[in-house]
C-alpha cells in the first residue's frame, strides 16, 4: 500500500477501557488502506467522561505514539468521537414561513433552517451537539426527504436533536489538544460505528445499532435511511467484568480474562462439568469455578443490557418496523452467544457488526474487529466530509451563520454524512 499522493486520516476512539487509533486512507477503489493501528488501556475516564485529565492525556499519547511508530506517520490531526452517559436526544418539530412561496427552496435556505435549531434553549450546562434532519413537510406535501427545488409557503422540519454536557465535551477536546494533536472533526461515536458496520439497505429497512463499549452501551436506530432515535445505557463491558470480579472474588484483570476466554452471554447450554482453575493473587491459594457458574454471572448483566435495548426500541416507536434487526458492535460484541441472547430478549434477528465491507482485502486481518469499528468509522466519516468540503465552504460563505454554528465543528461534519447531501 502506497502512502504517496493519498490523504491520510486518523481515527481516535477514546473509550472508557481502551484508546484505539487507526491510521488509514481511501484507495482508488473506495476501500480503506490501513497503515497502522494501536489499542492501549484507557485510564482516566468513567462511562465516557473524563475524570482525570492527566491520566487521559497520558493514555491518548501512548496510543498515538504506538500508531505513529507502526504506520511511520507523524500524527498531528485526528478525528474523534463524542459519547458517554451525558449524551441525550429528543425529537423536535419546527416550522418556517417563506416570504416568497413561488421561489424554489434552496440548499442555503435549508441550511439556515437547520442552524436555527441550535438556538433552542437548553438546561444549564448542556449544549446541542448535532441536529439531524429526518424529513420535511412542505405545505400539504409530507415525508419529503429532499426539499431543495420545491416551491411552497411553509416548511416543517422533523429533527433528531442530540445534546450533551458542555464541560464533558470540552474535557475531551482539551485532552486531545494537550496530547499534541489538532482535532480535525468531531462526530458522535455511535454514528461513526454505524458508518463502519451498517449498510445503506439496513438503514433504509430499519436497523438498531448496539455499540457495547467498556463504560456505556450506545444505541442508534435508523429508519428510511435516517437516524430516528439514539440513547445511552450506563453499563456495558466493564459492568460485566466487575460482576465477575465480585462473584468470583478475583481482581479485575483476572475477571476480564475469564470473561473473554470462558464467558458466555447465555448459560442454559453451558455444561456444569467444565471447571476453570483460577490462580491466586501473588502466589496465594487458587480457586475453581464451573464454566456454568461463570456464565450465570455474565448472562445476568448481559440480559439487563438487552432489556434496556428493548426499552429503547419501544421508546422509539419503531419496534414493528425494524426489518434489518439488530447489529451489535464494539468490544462487548465479542462475548460468546451475544446474538442469541439479543434475539431471545428483543425478538429481533441479530448479527455482530464487523467493518470488513469497508476495508481493503490486503489489510492486516486483525483490524477487522468490532473493537475498531468506531475508529474506522471516524476515518470513513472524515473522508466523506473531505469530499464535500468545497461545497460546504461555498454554502457557508453565503450564509449568515448563527453564533453557535461558528463555534461548532460537530454540526457540519455529522450533517454531511447523515443527510446534508442525500436528503435535500
Amino acid at each position: 500500500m502506497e502512502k504517496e499522493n493519498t490523504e491520510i486520516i486518523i481515527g481516535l476512539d477514546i473509550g472508557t477501557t481502551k484508546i484505539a487509533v487507526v491510521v488509514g486512507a481511501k484507495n482508488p477503489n473506495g476501500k480503506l488502506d490501513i497503515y497502522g493501528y494501536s489499542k492501549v488501556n484507557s485510564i482516566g475516564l468513567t462511562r465516557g467522561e473524563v475524570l482525570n485529565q492527566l491520566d487521559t492525556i497520558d493514555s491518548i499519547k501512548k496510543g498515538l505514539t504506538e500508531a505513529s511508530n507502526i504506520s511511520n506517520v507523524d500524527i498531528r490531526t485526528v478525528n474523534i468521537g463524542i459519547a458517554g452517559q451525558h449524551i441525550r436526544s429528543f425529537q423536535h418539530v419546527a416550522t418556517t414561513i417563506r416570504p416568497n412561496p413561488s421561489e424554489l427552496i434552496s440548499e442555503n435556505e435549508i441550511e439556515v433552517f437547520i442552524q436555527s435549531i441550535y438556538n433552542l434553549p437548553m438546561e444549564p450546562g448542556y449544549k446541542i451537539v448535532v441536529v439531524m434532519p429526518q424529513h420535511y413537510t412542505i405545505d400539504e406535501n409530507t415525508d419529503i426527504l429532499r426539499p431543495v427545488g420545491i416551491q411552497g409557503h411553509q416548511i416543517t422540519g422533523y429533527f433528531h436533536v442530540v445534546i450533551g454536557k458542555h464541560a464533558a465535551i470540552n474535557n475531551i477536546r482539551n485532552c486531545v489538544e494537550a496530547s499534541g494533536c489538532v482535532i480535525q472533526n468531531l462526530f458522535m461515536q455511535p454514528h461513526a460505528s454505524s458508518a463502519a458496520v451498517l449498510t445503506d439497505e439496513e438503514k433504509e429497512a430499519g436497523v438498531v445499532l448496539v455499540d457495547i463499549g467498556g463504560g456505556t452501551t450506545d444505541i442508534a436506530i435508523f429508519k428510511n435511511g435516517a437516524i430516528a432515535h439514539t440513547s445511552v445505557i450506563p453499563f456495558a463491558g466493564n459492568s460485566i467484568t466487575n460482576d465477575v470480579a465480585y462473584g468470583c472474588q478475583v481482581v479485575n484483570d483476572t475477571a476480564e480474562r475469564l470473561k473473554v476466554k470462558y464467558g458466555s452471554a447465555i448459560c442454559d447450554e453451558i455444561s456444569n462439568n467444565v471447571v476453570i482453575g483460577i490462580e491466586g493473587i501473588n502466589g496465594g491459594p487458587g480457586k475453581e469455578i464451573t464454566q456454568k457458574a461463570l456464565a450465570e454471572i455474565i448472562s445476568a448483566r448481559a440480559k439487563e443490557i438487552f432489556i434496556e435495548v428493548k426499552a429503547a426500541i419501544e421508546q422509539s416507536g419503531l419496534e414493528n418496523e425494524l426489518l434489518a434487526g439488530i447489529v451489535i458492535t464494539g468490544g462487548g460484541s465479542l462475548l460468546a452467544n451475544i446474538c442469541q441472547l439479543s434475539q431471545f430478549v428483543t425478538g429481533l434477528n441479530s448479527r455482530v457488526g464487523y467493518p470488513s465491507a469497508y476495508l481493503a482485502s490486503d489489510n492486516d486481518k486483525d483490524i477487522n474487529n468490532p473493537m475498531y469499528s468506531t475508529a474506522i468509522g471516524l476515518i470513513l466519516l472524515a473522508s466523506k466530509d473531505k469530499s464535500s468540503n468545497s461545497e460546504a465552504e461555498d454554502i457557508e460563505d453565503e450564509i449568515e451563520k448563527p453564533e453557535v454554528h461558528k463555534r461548532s465543528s460537530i454540526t457540519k461534519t455529522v450533517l454531511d454524512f447523515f443527510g446534508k447531501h442525500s436528503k435535500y
Side-chain angles (χ1 to χ4, degrees):
M1 296 180 289
E2 296 292 332
K3 293 196 188 80
E4 289 76 10
N5 302 319
T6 59
E7 184 116 30
I8 295 175
I9 302 174
I10 291 87
L12 170 60
D13 175 16
I14 304 171
T16 301
T17 57
K18 76 173 190 313
I19 304 290
V21 184
V22 178
V23 181
K26 270 194 174 180
N27 62 29
N29 298 321
K31 302 289 187 178
L32 289 184
D33 287 329
I34 305 300
Y35 302 118
Y37 59 95
S38 67
K39 179 179 72 71
V40 301
N41 291 335
S42 177
I43 303 173
L45 290 95
T46 178
R47 291 181 176 172
E49 295 187 48
V50 175
L51 182 64
N52 186 307
Q53 290 200 29
L54 293 178
D55 287 342
T56 301
I57 292 167
D58 287 342
S59 299
I60 293 173
K61 283 182 176 179
K62 185 176 180 180
L64 292 172
T65 300
E66 188 173 317
S68 179
N69 291 338
I70 293 171
S71 63
N72 198 28
V73 170
D74 185 16
I75 298 176
R76 298 298 180 94
T77 61
V78 295
N79 299 273
I80 71 170
I82 295 295
Q85 189 177 352
H86 65 100
I87 297 295
R88 307 206 306 261
S89 66
F90 60 90
Q91 305 297 112
H92 180 72
V93 180
T95 297
T96 182
I97 304 298
R98 306 183 69 229
N100 191 342
S102 63
E103 288 187 357
L104 299 181
I105 297 172
S106 69
E107 189 163 356
N108 289 353
E109 190 175 352
I110 295 299
E111 178 76 3
V112 170
F113 185 25
I114 294 171
Q115 293 304 319
S116 70
I117 308 303
Y118 285 83
N119 294 322
L120 290 173
M122 292 291 110
E123 62 183 279
Y126 277 81
K127 63 179 291 186
I128 294 179
V129 179
V130 63
V131 174
M132 289 173 280
Q134 296 176 305
H135 57 90
Y136 299 89
T137 293
I138 300 176
D139 296 337
E140 293 81 22
N141 300 308
T142 61
D143 295 326
I144 295 172
L145 299 180
R146 182 179 171 83
V148 171
I150 299 176
Q151 293 178 327
H153 175 66
Q154 176 177 294
I155 305 174
T156 299
Y158 298 80
F159 303 98
H160 185 73
V161 182
V162 180
I163 67 173
K165 286 183 182 177
H166 192 279
I169 296 170
N170 281 346
N171 284 342
I172 288 288
R173 182 189 292 273
N174 292 340
C175 288
V176 173
E177 292 176 349
S179 302
C181 285
V182 174
I183 297 175
Q184 190 172 36
N185 292 298
L186 287 85
F187 299 98
M188 300 300 298
Q189 280 190 12
H191 302 163
S193 299
S194 71
V197 302
L198 298 183
T199 66
D200 291 340
E201 290 78 9
E202 286 175 323
K203 293 176 186 175
E204 187 68 28
V207 66
V208 183
L209 177 80
V210 178
D211 189 345
I212 306 177
T216 61
T217 298
D218 299 317
I219 301 171
I221 302 177
F222 293 82
K223 179 64 179 177
N224 297 326
I227 193 94
H229 182 82
T230 55
S231 62
V232 179
I233 300 171
F235 39 87
N238 267 6
S239 303
I240 297 175
T241 301
N242 291 339
D243 289 349
V244 172
Y246 179 80
C248 297
Q249 292 296 290
V250 295
V251 296
N252 273 46
D253 286 348
T254 300
E256 180 69 17
R257 288 195 296 271
L258 289 172
K259 180 184 75 173
V260 171
K261 188 172 182 179
Y262 302 104
S264 172
I266 57 176
C267 59
D268 292 344
E269 299 177 3
I270 303 298
S271 171
N272 210 13
N273 298 325
V274 179
V275 178
I276 304 167
I278 304 173
E279 294 182 0
I281 300 174
N282 291 330
K287 59 182 70 177
E288 293 180 340
I289 184 174
T290 65
Q291 189 173 13
K292 188 175 185 67
L294 176 65
E296 287 172 347
I297 295 171
I298 292 172
S299 64
R301 179 69 73 172
K303 185 177 181 180
E304 186 179 4
I305 291 173
F306 282 98
I307 288 173
E308 292 295 327
V309 170
K310 184 178 181 181
I313 293 170
E314 292 171 348
Q315 185 181 0
S316 75
L318 296 170
E319 59 266 33
N320 297 319
E321 302 179 46
L322 302 170
L323 301 182
I326 292 176
V327 177
I328 311 166
T329 195
S333 67
L334 298 175
L335 180 64
N337 301 312
I338 193 80
C339 290
Q340 291 93 317
L341 176 68
S342 172
Q343 186 163 336
F344 172 76
V345 174
T346 67
L348 295 172
N349 290 331
S350 303
R351 71 173 179 88
V352 174
Y354 290 82
S356 52
Y358 301 94
L359 298 173
S361 59
D362 57 347
N363 283 310
D364 183 345
K365 301 303 181 184
D366 290 341
I367 190 67
N368 184 28
N369 189 307
M371 71 175 64
Y372 295 113
S373 294
T374 297
I376 290 170
L378 290 169
I379 296 177
L380 290 167
L381 291 181
S383 176
K384 187 175 181 69
D385 183 65
K386 283 179 177 293
S387 68
S388 57
N389 262 351
S390 58
E391 180 179 349
E393 288 168 0
D394 290 341
I395 293 170
E396 288 179 352
D397 287 341
E398 299 173 14
I399 299 174
E400 184 178 351
K401 304 179 185 69
E403 181 182 353
V404 169
H405 180 53
K406 291 179 182 177
R407 68 170 182 253
S408 174
S409 64
I410 306 175
T411 305
K412 179 177 70 61
T413 52
V414 179
L415 285 176
D416 280 345
F417 184 73
F418 286 98
K420 181 173 177 181
H421 299 291
S422 61
K423 295 187 190 311
Y424 297 168

